Amino acid sequence: MKKIVVISFVYALSLLSGCGGSSSTEQVVAPPVAPPSPISGIPVKVTSNNAIGSTTNQCHSTSPSNSQLSFSEIATASGLNFSHLTPNGDGMMGMSGGIAAGDFDNDGWVDLYAIGGDGQANLLLKNQGDGSFADMAAFAEVDLLSLGSGPAFGDLNGDGLLDLFVGSVGGSAPKLYLNQGNDKFLDITESSGLILPGNNFSASWADYDKDGDLDLFITHWSMMSGEYYPYFWRNNGDLTFTDISVEVGIERVSSKDQTFTPTFADIDNDGWLDLLLVADSHQTRVFKNNKDGTFTNITDRDVITDNAGMGSAVGDYDNDGDLDWFVTAISSKDGVTDFGWLTPGNRFYENQGDGTFVDKTDATGTRHGYWAWGACFADFNNDGYLDLFHVNGMSGMGIDEMYQADPSRLFMSNGDGSFTESAINAGIDDKGMGRGLVCFDYDKDGDVDIYIANNNQPPKLYCNEGVKSNFVNIKLLEKSSNSQALGARIYVKTGSVEQMRELRSGNNYVSQNPVEAHFGLAQASKIDNVRIVWPDGEITNITNIDINQFVIIERQ
């Protein structure tokens, strides 16, 4: 009977060397077994950093067992000592303003570009990394004094630096700024070919045609009928743009253009970015990407019924792998009848997995939001389920008193498809004239904070004090001109739960979140797998990413 001895490859070599390559005992040597690679598929480089501890953060809870979600308002303490001002009036019922978020100087901290109005120059708020911001708009040459609206960061030339579009209302001119990489921007509006009418409210960047560079969609709002409005601008790859609205099939939403908030999102899971376009006066539309450079209006008017749509939030609220859609509007609760048919409230559209929606507004408990504007999905308590936040407020002749002091709304997920309104309980007592907002981890402590851009008022910054739950924050770097990997999907699996985020330079309403994916992990002690579906459909799997990290994954 043969004796079979299984030994390591290294040990076998030492035996052969010591015995001169011969032995009286027959040996069977197993081949070396390489440990499984933590990365499979498309190769990437992974770097990570720890969250900032409570000892260096001005609002993070020092209690290691904190379980109660709580926010602190710290705008003044963080250096946000300015106010949006429109002393001359913007002619648009106070609907303008906004904020863009992005790391314009690539120092690892999310900065802000704030619209000031015609009474306060716009501000470029550099994140100092210590809980505060400093305005450097004058040095950067973006201290525009105008009736601006809806700024949006996006890397239009693929050099890894965030450029900037700034919309306009009331006769002011829009601007397109090129980031020069030395903390300065260059105004290229005239040479870019962007010829826009008045009242350009919001913008979104996306690579809708998968050619590797970012195109631009711009909304407008007008009381005039029959005018032509250029929505869709194709990036020509040479710092110029071409109006292709008619060519792609989005020439006009209605005879009177009252579009507000555009969001590119792959709603039917086919790998191509569709367009969700929120508009006033029952004009909200769903456009399917035909994969040939055109779109088809697939709006189901029996389901898409928001009458005064303004803001938009897109995310996978039920963790089933598709993108759901929340639209802000005006609620007529408590007997307000001033606006009649315009006031049935917010809408919550649940994706059925194929790009069709069903109305889950009442089932989710999110209908009543007063006069709502910007909105975002974010996991504020890191429990693994997306919550909802939106701002409110409207003033002017004929506006009911309740809308002039209506509070922001925080809808916390119950994990079962429903939400509970919890703003006051969480310390958010905000009754300002909210328009735009940013939901982002401004101080890199592992939880999502909230910046509110008010109209004709100072902003507010609500700092999340954190709860005892884990997280991971992931940012992607692409090799193509789409350097932020807009359109990519990131799946994070912990145990039996898999969460998904889609990266977008989207729009909340005249405002923009940074392009990064924050995942609350609840009490999970490890991440089983991170799966990335890149914009071109290629896949990377990673099994060695730790919890409570800020992770950058760079495609090689």
Side-chain angles (χ1 to χ4, degrees), residues 55 92 141 199 252 283 293 365 441:
T55 57
M92 300 304 300
E141 300 181 20
N199 303 330
R252 185 176 295 161
Q283 296 177 17
D441 189 352

Side-chain angles (χ1 to χ4, degrees), residues 162-380:
L162 292 181
D163 310 299
L164 177 65
F165 172 80
V166 184
S168 60
V169 298
S172 291
K175 292 290 183 179
L176 182 64
Y177 293 104
L178 185 70
N179 191 333
Q180 299 183 82
N182 56 358
D183 289 346
K184 287 184 177 293
F185 288 78
L186 177 67
D187 183 351
I188 62 168
T189 311
E190 185 173 348
S191 63
S192 71
L194 284 176
I195 302 173
L196 295 169
N199 303 330
N200 307 286
F201 266 90
S202 299
S204 286
W205 298 91
D207 182 14
Y208 83 99
D209 51 3
K210 291 182 178 285
D211 65 351
D213 54 32
L214 300 187
D215 310 292
L216 184 62
F217 193 97
I218 302 169
T219 61
H220 320 278
W221 196 96
S222 173
M223 293 296 293
M224 303 296 293
S225 297
E227 291 187 309
Y228 171 71
Y229 284 89
Y231 300 108
F232 225 117
W233 293 88
R234 183 179 61 208
N235 190 333
N236 299 321
D238 58 1
L239 303 183
T240 68
F241 291 81
T242 299
D243 173 20
I244 57 168
S245 304
V246 175
E247 177 183 326
V248 301
I250 311 179
E251 177 183 359
R252 185 176 295 161
V253 175
S254 184
S255 60
K256 186 184 296 183
D257 186 357
Q258 294 185 340
T259 53
F260 272 141
T261 305
T263 303
F264 286 96
D266 180 10
I267 61 169
D268 53 4
N269 292 333
D270 67 351
W272 291 76
L273 294 176
D274 310 296
L275 176 65
L276 302 175
L277 183 57
V278 175
D280 206 351
S281 302
H282 201 192
Q283 296 177 17
T284 292
R285 297 289 184 269
V286 179
F287 292 95
K288 175 180 172 57
N289 191 325
N290 297 322
K291 308 178 188 179
D292 61 1
T294 67
F295 289 79
T296 298
N297 184 351
I298 61 169
T299 311
D300 183 344
R301 295 294 293 272
D302 291 332
V303 176
I304 308 302
T305 57
D306 51 278
N307 291 330
M310 287 174 282
S312 182
V314 178
D316 184 8
Y317 90 104
D318 48 5
N319 290 336
D320 65 351
D322 54 43
L323 295 172
D324 310 293
W325 186 21
F326 176 75
V327 175
T328 60
I330 307 171
S331 171
S332 61
K333 189 179 179 182
D334 299 327
V336 176
T337 58
D338 294 23
F339 293 91
W341 66 276
L342 283 174
T343 58
N346 299 326
R347 287 293 186 275
F348 199 112
Y349 303 126
E350 182 182 272
N351 197 332
Q352 300 305 287
D354 58 358
T356 63
F357 295 96
V358 295
D359 191 323
K360 291 284 187 175
T361 306
D362 291 326
T364 57
T366 56
R367 180 181 296 276
H368 181 46
Y370 300 97
W371 197 304
W373 300 92
C376 73
F377 273 119
D379 187 356
F380 293 110

Side-chain angles (χ1 to χ4, degrees), residues 98-173:
I99 186 80
D103 182 5
F104 83 92
D105 54 1
N106 285 337
D107 67 350
W109 294 85
V110 176
D111 311 298
L112 302 170
Y113 186 79
I115 297 297
D118 62 346
Q120 157 76 58
N122 295 350
L123 301 96
L124 180 61
L125 299 164
K126 177 178 170 58
N127 193 327
Q128 302 289 88
D130 61 0
S132 69
F133 294 89
D135 178 29
M136 58 180 299
F139 178 84
E141 300 181 20
V142 290
D143 54 336
L144 185 64
L145 183 64
S146 70
L147 292 168
S149 186
F153 283 115
D155 182 6
L156 69 89
N157 60 346
D159 63 354
L161 299 169
L162 292 181
D163 310 299
L164 177 65
F165 172 80
V166 184
S168 60
V169 298
S172 291

